Amino acid sequence: MHRNALVPVMAVAIVNGIFSPWVLMVFLFYPVWYPGWAPPLSQIVYMASALILSTMTIMLAGVPAALYERWSAQPRSIVVSSIWLAGTVLLTLPALPNVMRALSGG
């Protein structure tokens, strides 16, 4: 797959990581995953939580694309990219109310 095809996937995943309602769950479980040597500042923990959620979004959205690529006789990179982007957008749907609230300034 061409590297530029992943740019929209990463952008949507970053939006999901920042605005998803699941970021609170990752944040609350920081004692499980956050290193003990790092200072437990809430801003740093939140950004790390958003990064973890963004990474998980990319990984989960890539599963259907990888299955298509594996099972297809002649996989096309545009189809793989489209499947990956569609999966990322679907995983980001729960974050849309928070995105709209942030865009409206309220």
Side-chain angles (χ1 to χ4, degrees):
M1 182 178 356
H2 197 271
R3 186 173 49 180
N4 288 339
L6 289 179
V7 172
V9 171
M10 289 189 294
V12 173
I14 289 170
V15 168
N16 188 41
I18 294 170
F19 293 104
S20 176
W22 289 101
V23 76
L24 178 61
M25 293 302 295
V26 178
F27 182 84
L28 291 176
F29 282 106
Y30 86 91
V32 176
W33 57 264
Y34 197 71
W37 51 264
L41 300 172
S42 61
Q43 296 92 344
I44 296 173
V45 175
Y46 178 79
M47 290 307 289
S49 299
L51 183 61
I52 288 171
L53 196 58
S54 298
T55 304
M56 289 301 298
T57 302
I58 291 172
M59 290 170 42
L60 287 174
V63 170
L67 290 174
Y68 164 78
E69 200 169 27
R70 175 77 174 151
W71 291 338
S72 178
Q74 293 180 331
R76 299 185 48 179
S77 80
I78 189 70
V79 176
V80 174
S81 301
S82 300
I83 292 171
W84 206 340
L85 181 60
T88 307
V89 168
L90 283 174
L91 290 171
T92 305
L93 287 178
L96 285 182
N98 294 336
V99 170
M100 298 307 287
R101 200 172 304 119
L103 290 175
S104 69

